[in-house]
Coordinates of all heavy atoms in Angstrom, one line a residue:
M1 N -1.6 -7.2 -24.4 CA -0.4 -7.1 -23.6 C -0.5 -7.9 -22.4 O -1.5 -7.9 -21.6 CB -0.3 -5.6 -23.2 CG 1.0 -5.3 -22.5 SD 1.1 -3.5 -22.3 CE 2.2 -3.4 -20.9
S2 N 0.5 -8.7 -22.1 CA 0.4 -9.6 -20.9 C 1.0 -8.9 -19.7 O 1.8 -7.9 -19.8 CB 1.2 -10.9 -21.2 OG 2.6 -10.6 -21.4
E3 N 0.6 -9.5 -18.5 CA 1.0 -8.9 -17.3 C 2.5 -9.2 -17.0 O 2.9 -10.4 -17.4 CB 0.1 -9.5 -16.1 CG -1.3 -9.1 -16.3 CD -1.8 -8.2 -15.2 OE1 -1.1 -8.1 -14.1 OE2 -2.8 -7.6 -15.4
P4 N 3.3 -8.4 -16.4 CA 4.6 -8.8 -16.1 C 4.7 -9.9 -15.0 O 3.7 -10.0 -14.2 CB 5.2 -7.5 -15.4 CG 4.1 -6.7 -15.1 CD 2.9 -7.1 -15.9
I5 N 5.7 -10.7 -15.1 CA 5.8 -11.8 -14.1 C 6.3 -11.3 -12.8 O 7.2 -10.4 -12.7 CB 6.9 -12.8 -14.6 CG1 6.4 -13.5 -15.9 CG2 7.2 -13.9 -13.6 CD1 7.4 -14.3 -16.7
G6 N 5.6 -11.7 -11.7 CA 5.9 -11.3 -10.4 C 4.7 -11.5 -9.5 O 3.7 -11.9 -9.9
Y7 N 4.9 -11.2 -8.2 CA 3.8 -11.3 -7.3 C 2.8 -10.2 -7.4 O 3.2 -9.1 -7.5 CB 4.4 -11.3 -5.8 CG 5.2 -12.5 -5.5 CD1 6.6 -12.5 -5.4 CD2 4.6 -13.7 -5.3 CE1 7.3 -13.6 -5.1 CE2 5.3 -14.9 -5.0 CZ 6.7 -14.9 -4.9 OH 7.4 -16.0 -4.7
V8 N 1.6 -10.5 -7.3 CA 0.5 -9.6 -7.4 C 0.6 -8.5 -6.3 O 0.4 -7.3 -6.5 CB -0.9 -10.2 -7.5 CG1 -2.0 -9.2 -7.5 CG2 -1.0 -11.1 -8.7
Y9 N 0.8 -9.0 -5.1 CA 0.9 -8.0 -3.9 C 2.0 -7.0 -4.2 O 1.8 -5.8 -3.7 CB 1.0 -8.7 -2.6 CG 2.4 -9.3 -2.4 CD1 3.4 -8.4 -1.7 CD2 2.8 -10.6 -2.6 CE1 4.7 -8.9 -1.4 CE2 4.1 -11.0 -2.4 CZ 5.0 -10.2 -1.8 OH 6.3 -10.7 -1.5
V10 N 3.1 -7.3 -4.8 CA 4.2 -6.4 -5.0 C 3.6 -5.3 -6.0 O 4.0 -4.1 -5.9 CB 5.5 -7.1 -5.5 CG1 6.5 -6.0 -6.0 CG2 6.0 -8.0 -4.5
R11 N 2.9 -5.7 -7.1 CA 2.3 -4.8 -8.1 C 1.4 -3.8 -7.4 O 1.4 -2.7 -7.7 CB 1.7 -5.5 -9.2 CG 2.7 -6.2 -10.1 CD 2.1 -6.5 -11.5 NE 0.9 -7.3 -11.5 CZ 0.9 -8.6 -11.6 NH1 2.0 -9.3 -11.7 NH2 -0.2 -9.3 -11.6
V12 N 0.6 -4.4 -6.5 CA -0.4 -3.5 -5.7 C 0.4 -2.5 -4.8 O 0.2 -1.3 -4.8 CB -1.4 -4.3 -4.9 CG1 -2.2 -3.4 -4.0 CG2 -2.3 -5.1 -5.8
A13 N 1.4 -3.0 -4.1 CA 2.2 -2.1 -3.2 C 2.9 -1.0 -4.1 O 3.0 0.1 -3.7 CB 3.2 -3.0 -2.5
D14 N 3.4 -1.4 -5.2 CA 4.1 -0.4 -6.1 C 3.1 0.6 -6.6 O 3.5 1.8 -6.6 CB 4.7 -1.2 -7.4 CG 5.9 -2.0 -7.0 OD1 6.5 -1.9 -5.9 OD2 6.2 -2.8 -7.9
Q15 N 1.9 0.2 -6.9 CA 0.8 1.2 -7.3 C 0.5 2.1 -6.2 O 0.5 3.3 -6.4 CB -0.3 0.4 -7.8 CG -1.3 1.3 -8.5 CD -2.4 0.5 -9.2 OE1 -2.3 -0.7 -9.4 NE2 -3.5 1.2 -9.7
V16 N 0.3 1.6 -5.0 CA 0.0 2.4 -3.8 C 1.2 3.4 -3.6 O 1.0 4.6 -3.3 CB -0.4 1.6 -2.6 CG1 -0.5 2.5 -1.4 CG2 -1.6 0.9 -2.9
E17 N 2.4 2.9 -3.7 CA 3.6 3.7 -3.4 C 3.6 4.9 -4.4 O 4.0 6.0 -4.1 CB 4.9 2.9 -3.5 CG 6.1 3.8 -3.3 CD 7.4 2.9 -3.2 OE1 7.4 1.7 -3.4 OE2 8.5 3.6 -3.1
R18 N 3.3 4.6 -5.7 CA 3.3 5.6 -6.7 C 2.2 6.7 -6.3 O 2.5 7.9 -6.5 CB 2.9 5.0 -8.1 CG 3.9 5.2 -9.2 CD 3.5 4.7 -10.6 NE 2.6 3.6 -10.6 CZ 2.9 2.3 -10.5 NH1 4.0 1.9 -10.4 NH2 1.9 1.4 -10.7
E19 N 1.1 6.2 -5.9 CA 0.0 7.2 -5.5 C 0.5 8.1 -4.3 O 0.1 9.3 -4.2 CB -1.2 6.5 -5.1 CG -1.9 5.8 -6.3 CD -3.1 4.9 -6.0 OE1 -3.6 5.1 -4.9 OE2 -3.5 4.1 -6.8
I20 N 1.2 7.5 -3.4 CA 1.7 8.3 -2.3 C 2.8 9.3 -2.8 O 2.7 10.4 -2.5 CB 2.4 7.3 -1.2 CG1 1.4 6.4 -0.5 CG2 3.2 8.1 -0.2 CD1 1.9 5.3 0.4
R21 N 3.7 8.8 -3.6 CA 4.8 9.7 -4.0 C 4.3 10.8 -5.0 O 4.8 11.9 -5.0 CB 5.8 8.9 -4.7 CG 6.5 7.9 -3.9 CD 8.0 7.7 -4.0 NE 8.5 6.7 -3.2 CZ 8.9 6.9 -1.9 NH1 8.8 8.0 -1.3 NH2 9.4 5.8 -1.3
E22 N 3.2 10.5 -5.7 CA 2.6 11.5 -6.6 C 1.6 12.5 -5.8 O 1.0 13.4 -6.4 CB 1.9 10.9 -7.7 CG 2.8 10.2 -8.7 CD 2.2 9.3 -9.8 OE1 0.9 9.3 -9.8 OE2 2.9 8.9 -10.6
G23 N 1.4 12.2 -4.5 CA 0.5 13.1 -3.7 C -1.0 12.7 -3.8 O -1.8 13.5 -3.2
R24 N -1.3 11.7 -4.5 CA -2.7 11.3 -4.5 C -3.2 10.7 -3.3 O -4.4 10.7 -2.9 CB -3.0 10.4 -5.7 CG -2.9 11.1 -7.1 CD -3.2 10.2 -8.2 NE -2.0 9.4 -8.4 CZ -1.9 8.3 -9.2 NH1 -3.0 7.9 -9.8 NH2 -0.8 7.6 -9.4
L25 N -2.2 10.1 -2.5 CA -2.4 9.6 -1.2 C -1.6 10.4 -0.3 O -0.4 10.2 -0.1 CB -2.1 8.2 -1.0 CG -3.2 7.1 -1.4 CD1 -2.7 5.7 -1.4 CD2 -4.4 7.3 -0.5
P26 N -2.1 11.6 0.3 CA -1.2 12.4 1.1 C -0.8 11.8 2.4 O -1.5 10.9 2.9 CB -2.1 13.7 1.2 CG -3.5 13.2 1.2 CD -3.4 12.0 0.2
Y27 N 0.2 12.4 3.0 CA 0.6 12.0 4.3 C -0.5 12.1 5.3 O -1.2 13.1 5.3 CB 1.9 12.7 4.8 CG 3.0 12.6 3.8 CD1 3.4 13.7 3.0 CD2 3.5 11.4 3.4 CE1 4.4 13.6 2.1 CE2 4.4 11.2 2.5 CZ 4.9 12.3 1.8 OH 5.8 12.2 0.8
G28 N -0.7 11.1 6.2 CA -1.8 11.1 7.1 C -3.1 10.5 6.5 O -4.0 10.2 7.3
A29 N -3.1 10.2 5.2 CA -4.3 9.6 4.7 C -4.5 8.1 5.1 O -3.5 7.4 5.3 CB -4.2 9.6 3.1
R30 N -5.7 7.8 5.4 CA -6.0 6.4 5.8 C -6.3 5.5 4.6 O -7.1 5.9 3.7 CB -7.3 6.4 6.7 CG -7.6 5.1 7.3 CD -8.8 5.3 8.3 NE -9.1 4.1 9.0 CZ -9.9 3.1 8.5 NH1 -10.5 3.2 7.4 NH2 -10.1 2.1 9.2
L31 N -5.6 4.4 4.5 CA -5.8 3.4 3.4 C -7.2 2.7 3.6 O -7.6 2.6 4.7 CB -4.7 2.4 3.4 CG -3.3 2.9 3.1 CD1 -2.4 1.7 2.9 CD2 -3.2 3.7 1.8
P32 N -7.8 2.3 2.6 CA -9.0 1.5 2.7 C -8.7 0.2 3.4 O -7.6 -0.3 3.5 CB -9.4 1.2 1.3 CG -8.6 2.0 0.3 CD -7.4 2.4 1.1
N33 N -9.8 -0.4 4.0 CA -9.6 -1.7 4.6 C -9.3 -2.7 3.6 O -9.4 -2.5 2.4 CB -10.8 -2.0 5.5 CG -12.1 -2.3 4.7 OD1 -12.1 -2.8 3.6 ND2 -13.3 -1.9 5.2
E34 N -9.0 -4.0 4.0 CA -8.5 -5.0 3.1 C -9.5 -5.3 2.0 O -9.2 -5.5 0.8 CB -8.1 -6.2 3.8 CG -6.8 -6.0 4.7 CD -6.6 -7.1 5.7 OE1 -7.3 -8.1 5.8 OE2 -5.6 -7.0 6.4
R35 N -10.7 -5.4 2.4 CA -11.8 -5.8 1.5 C -12.1 -4.7 0.4 O -12.1 -5.0 -0.8 CB -13.1 -6.1 2.2 CG -14.2 -6.5 1.3 CD -15.5 -7.1 2.0 NE -15.8 -6.3 3.1 CZ -16.1 -6.8 4.4 NH1 -16.1 -8.0 4.5 NH2 -16.3 -6.0 5.3
D36 N -12.1 -3.4 0.9 CA -12.2 -2.3 0.0 C -11.0 -2.2 -0.9 O -11.1 -1.8 -2.1 CB -12.6 -1.0 0.7 CG -13.9 -1.0 1.4 OD1 -14.8 -1.9 1.0 OD2 -14.1 -0.2 2.3
M37 N -9.9 -2.3 -0.3 CA -8.6 -2.1 -1.1 C -8.6 -3.3 -2.1 O -8.1 -3.0 -3.3 CB -7.4 -2.2 -0.2 CG -6.1 -1.9 -0.8 SD -4.8 -1.8 0.4 CE -3.4 -1.3 -0.5
G38 N -8.9 -4.5 -1.8 CA -8.9 -5.6 -2.8 C -9.9 -5.2 -3.9 O -9.6 -5.5 -5.0
A39 N -11.0 -4.7 -3.6 CA -12.0 -4.4 -4.7 C -11.5 -3.2 -5.5 O -11.6 -3.3 -6.8 CB -13.3 -4.0 -4.0
Q40 N -10.8 -2.3 -4.9 CA -10.3 -1.1 -5.7 C -9.2 -1.5 -6.6 O -9.1 -1.0 -7.7 CB -9.7 -0.1 -4.7 CG -9.1 1.1 -5.3 CD -8.7 2.1 -4.2 OE1 -9.0 2.1 -3.1 NE2 -7.8 3.1 -4.7
Y41 N -8.3 -2.5 -6.3 CA -7.3 -2.9 -7.1 C -7.5 -4.3 -7.8 O -6.6 -4.7 -8.5 CB -5.9 -3.0 -6.3 CG -5.6 -1.6 -5.8 CD1 -5.8 -1.2 -4.5 CD2 -4.8 -0.7 -6.6 CE1 -5.4 0.1 -4.1 CE2 -4.5 0.5 -6.3 CZ -4.8 0.9 -5.0 OH -4.4 2.2 -4.5
G42 N -8.7 -4.8 -7.6 CA -9.0 -6.1 -8.3 C -8.3 -7.3 -7.8 O -7.9 -8.1 -8.6
V43 N -8.0 -7.3 -6.5 CA -7.3 -8.5 -6.0 C -8.1 -9.0 -4.8 O -9.0 -8.4 -4.2 CB -5.9 -8.1 -5.5 CG1 -5.0 -7.6 -6.6 CG2 -5.9 -7.0 -4.4
A44 N -7.7 -10.1 -4.3 CA -8.4 -10.7 -3.0 C -7.9 -10.0 -1.8 O -6.8 -9.3 -1.8 CB -7.9 -12.2 -2.9
P45 N -8.8 -10.0 -0.8 CA -8.4 -9.3 0.5 C -7.0 -9.8 1.1 O -6.3 -9.0 1.6 CB -9.6 -9.6 1.4 CG -10.7 -9.9 0.5 CD -10.1 -10.5 -0.7
G46 N -6.7 -11.0 0.9 CA -5.5 -11.5 1.4 C -4.3 -10.9 0.7 O -3.3 -10.6 1.2
T47 N -4.5 -10.7 -0.6 CA -3.4 -10.1 -1.4 C -3.3 -8.6 -1.0 O -2.2 -8.1 -0.9 CB -3.8 -10.1 -2.9 OG1 -3.9 -11.6 -3.3 CG2 -2.7 -9.6 -3.8
A48 N -4.4 -7.9 -0.7 CA -4.4 -6.5 -0.2 C -3.6 -6.5 1.1 O -2.8 -5.6 1.4 CB -5.7 -6.0 -0.1
R49 N -3.9 -7.5 1.9 CA -3.2 -7.5 3.3 C -1.7 -7.6 3.1 O -0.9 -6.9 3.8 CB -3.8 -8.7 4.1 CG -3.1 -8.9 5.5 CD -3.7 -10.1 6.3 NE -5.1 -10.2 6.2 CZ -5.8 -11.2 5.7 NH1 -5.1 -12.2 5.1 NH2 -7.1 -11.3 5.6
R50 N -1.3 -8.5 2.2 CA 0.2 -8.7 1.9 C 0.7 -7.4 1.3 O 1.9 -7.1 1.7 CB 0.4 -9.9 1.0 CG 1.8 -10.2 0.8 CD 2.5 -10.6 2.1 NE 3.9 -10.8 1.9 CZ 4.9 -9.9 2.0 NH1 4.6 -8.7 2.3 NH2 6.1 -10.2 1.8
A51 N 0.0 -6.7 0.5 CA 0.5 -5.4 -0.1 C 0.7 -4.4 1.1 O 1.7 -3.7 1.0 CB -0.5 -4.9 -1.1
V52 N -0.2 -4.4 2.0 CA -0.1 -3.4 3.1 C 1.1 -3.8 3.9 O 1.9 -2.9 4.4 CB -1.3 -3.4 4.0 CG1 -1.1 -2.6 5.3 CG2 -2.5 -2.7 3.2
Q53 N 1.3 -5.1 4.2 CA 2.6 -5.5 4.9 C 3.8 -5.1 4.1 O 4.7 -4.6 4.8 CB 2.5 -7.0 5.0 CG 3.8 -7.6 5.8 CD 3.7 -9.1 5.9 OE1 2.7 -9.7 5.7 NE2 4.8 -9.7 6.2
E54 N 3.8 -5.2 2.8 CA 4.9 -4.8 2.0 C 5.2 -3.3 2.2 O 6.3 -2.8 2.3 CB 4.7 -5.1 0.5 CG 5.8 -4.6 -0.4 CD 7.1 -5.3 -0.3 OE1 7.2 -6.5 0.3 OE2 8.1 -4.8 -0.9
L55 N 4.1 -2.5 2.1 CA 4.2 -1.0 2.3 C 4.7 -0.7 3.8 O 5.5 0.3 3.8 CB 2.8 -0.4 2.1 CG 2.3 -0.4 0.7 CD1 0.8 -0.1 0.6 CD2 3.1 0.5 -0.2
R56 N 4.4 -1.4 4.8 CA 4.9 -1.2 6.1 C 6.4 -1.5 6.1 O 7.2 -0.7 6.7 CB 4.2 -2.1 7.1 CG 2.9 -1.6 7.6 CD 2.5 -2.3 8.9 NE 2.4 -3.7 8.8 CZ 1.2 -4.4 8.3 NH1 0.2 -3.8 8.1 NH2 1.2 -5.7 8.3
E57 N 6.8 -2.6 5.4 CA 8.3 -2.9 5.4 C 9.1 -1.8 4.6 O 10.2 -1.6 4.9 CB 8.5 -4.2 4.7 CG 8.0 -5.4 5.6 CD 7.9 -6.8 4.8 OE1 8.3 -6.8 3.6 OE2 7.4 -7.7 5.4
R58 N 8.4 -1.2 3.6 CA 9.0 -0.1 3.0 C 9.0 1.3 3.7 O 9.6 2.2 3.3 CB 8.3 0.2 1.6 CG 8.4 -1.0 0.6 CD 7.7 -0.7 -0.6 NE 7.6 -1.8 -1.5 CZ 7.1 -1.8 -2.7 NH1 6.6 -0.7 -3.3 NH2 7.1 -3.0 -3.4
G59 N 8.4 1.2 4.8 CA 8.3 2.4 5.7 C 7.4 3.5 5.2 O 7.5 4.7 5.5
L60 N 6.4 3.2 4.4 CA 5.4 4.1 3.8 C 4.2 4.3 4.6 O 3.5 5.3 4.4 CB 5.2 3.7 2.3 CG 6.3 3.7 1.4 CD1 6.0 3.1 0.1 CD2 6.8 5.2 1.2
V61 N 3.8 3.3 5.3 CA 2.6 3.3 6.1 C 2.8 2.7 7.5 O 3.8 2.0 7.7 CB 1.4 2.5 5.4 CG1 1.1 3.1 4.0 CG2 1.7 1.1 5.3
V62 N 1.9 3.0 8.4 CA 1.9 2.5 9.7 C 0.5 2.0 10.0 O -0.5 2.7 9.6 CB 2.4 3.5 10.8 CG1 1.5 4.7 10.9 CG2 2.6 2.8 12.1
T63 N 0.3 0.8 10.6 CA -0.9 0.3 11.0 C -1.1 0.5 12.5 O -0.2 0.0 13.3 CB -1.1 -1.1 10.6 OG1 -0.9 -1.2 9.2 CG2 -2.4 -1.8 11.0
L64 N -2.2 1.1 12.9 CA -2.6 1.2 14.3 C -3.7 0.3 14.6 O -4.8 0.4 14.0 CB -3.0 2.7 14.6 CG -1.9 3.8 14.3 CD1 -2.5 5.1 14.5 CD2 -0.7 3.5 15.1
P65 N -3.6 -0.6 15.6 CA -4.7 -1.6 15.8 C -6.0 -0.8 16.2 O -6.0 0.2 16.9 CB -4.2 -2.3 17.1 CG -2.7 -2.2 17.0 CD -2.4 -0.9 16.4
N66 N -7.1 -1.3 15.6 CA -8.4 -0.8 15.7 C -8.6 0.6 15.2 O -9.6 1.3 15.5 CB -8.8 -0.8 17.2 CG -8.8 -2.2 17.7 OD1 -9.3 -3.1 17.1 ND2 -8.3 -2.4 18.9
K67 N -7.6 1.1 14.4 CA -7.7 2.5 13.9 C -7.6 2.4 12.4 O -8.3 3.1 11.7 CB -6.5 3.4 14.4 CG -6.6 3.7 15.9 CD -7.7 4.7 16.1 CE -7.6 5.2 17.6 NZ -8.7 6.1 17.9
G68 N -6.6 1.7 11.9 CA -6.5 1.6 10.4 C -5.0 1.8 10.0 O -4.1 1.8 10.9
T69 N -4.8 1.8 8.8 CA -3.4 2.0 8.2 C -3.3 3.4 7.6 O -4.1 3.8 6.8 CB -3.1 0.9 7.2 OG1 -3.2 -0.4 7.7 CG2 -1.7 1.1 6.5
F70 N -2.2 4.1 7.9 CA -2.1 5.5 7.5 C -0.8 5.7 6.8 O 0.3 5.1 7.1 CB -2.2 6.4 8.7 CG -3.5 6.3 9.5 CD1 -3.7 5.3 10.5 CD2 -4.5 7.1 9.2 CE1 -4.9 5.2 11.1 CE2 -5.7 7.0 9.8 CZ -5.9 6.0 10.8
V71 N -0.7 6.6 5.8 CA 0.5 7.0 5.1 C 1.3 7.9 6.1 O 0.8 8.8 6.8 CB 0.1 7.9 3.9 CG1 1.4 8.4 3.2 CG2 -0.7 7.0 2.9
V72 N 2.6 7.6 6.2 CA 3.5 8.3 7.1 C 4.3 9.3 6.3 O 4.6 9.1 5.1 CB 4.4 7.4 7.9 CG1 3.6 6.5 8.9 CG2 5.3 6.5 7.1
A73 N 4.8 10.3 7.0 CA 5.7 11.3 6.4 C 7.0 10.7 6.1 O 7.5 9.8 6.8 CB 5.9 12.5 7.3
P74 N 7.6 11.0 4.9 CA 8.9 10.4 4.7 C 10.0 10.8 5.7 O 9.9 11.9 6.2 CB 9.3 11.0 3.3 CG 8.5 12.3 3.2 CD 7.3 12.0 4.1
E75 N 10.9 9.9 5.9 CA 12.0 10.3 6.8 C 12.9 11.3 6.2 O 13.2 11.2 5.0 CB 12.8 9.0 7.2 CG 12.1 8.0 8.0 CD 12.9 6.9 8.4 OE1 14.1 7.0 8.6 OE2 12.3 5.8 8.7
Q76 N 13.4 12.2 7.0 CA 14.3 13.3 6.5 C 15.6 12.5 6.2 O 16.2 11.8 7.0 CB 14.5 14.3 7.5 CG 13.2 15.1 7.9 CD 12.5 15.8 6.7 OE1 13.2 16.3 5.8 NE2 11.2 15.7 6.6
E77 N 16.1 12.8 5.0 CA 17.4 12.3 4.6 C 18.5 13.1 5.2 O 18.5 14.4 5.2 CB 17.6 12.3 3.1 CG 16.5 11.4 2.5 CD 16.8 11.0 1.0 OE1 18.0 11.2 0.6 OE2 15.9 10.6 0.4
A78 N 19.5 12.5 5.8 CA 20.6 13.2 6.5 C 21.7 13.7 5.5 O 21.9 13.1 4.4 CB 21.2 12.3 7.5

């Protein structure tokens, strides 16, 4: 079975988003650093960095300088 066409960082971000939505990465959980995340998902650290940026853009995580990247609570729908 071949891999779907698309950017690898989007596939990693989609996978992390699934883990968040399924509760495997609970709110407040700290994501691994780029090197560890890359090893976990089988991608380069730069790809992991871009995936985290994508997750930030989706509003799923927040990065605090010198602290790490954390899963944020979903915004309440009005």
Side-chain angles (χ1 to χ4, degrees):
M1 184 172 155
S2 64
E3 300 248 340
I5 296 173
Y7 291 109
V8 175
Y9 76 87
V10 173
R11 288 201 303 266
V12 173
D14 288 346
Q15 189 170 349
V16 174
E17 180 174 358
R18 239 183 338 271
E19 291 175 16
I20 291 169
R21 301 223 184 268
E22 293 173 357
R24 286 181 285 166
L25 275 174
Y27 304 116
R30 185 175 185 271
L31 296 184
N33 66 37
E34 292 167 0
R35 184 172 38 229
D36 292 343
M37 188 175 187
Q40 181 177 342
Y41 293 98
V43 298
T47 302
R49 180 181 314 116
R50 184 61 184 90
V52 170
Q53 180 181 343
E54 177 71 18
L55 291 165
R56 277 196 304 270
E57 291 170 3
R58 294 180 189 185
L60 297 170
V61 300
V62 62
T63 300
L64 303 174
N66 302 313
K67 293 283 187 186
T69 300
F70 300 88
V71 177
V72 295
E75 290 186 25
Q76 299 298 322
E77 298 195 17

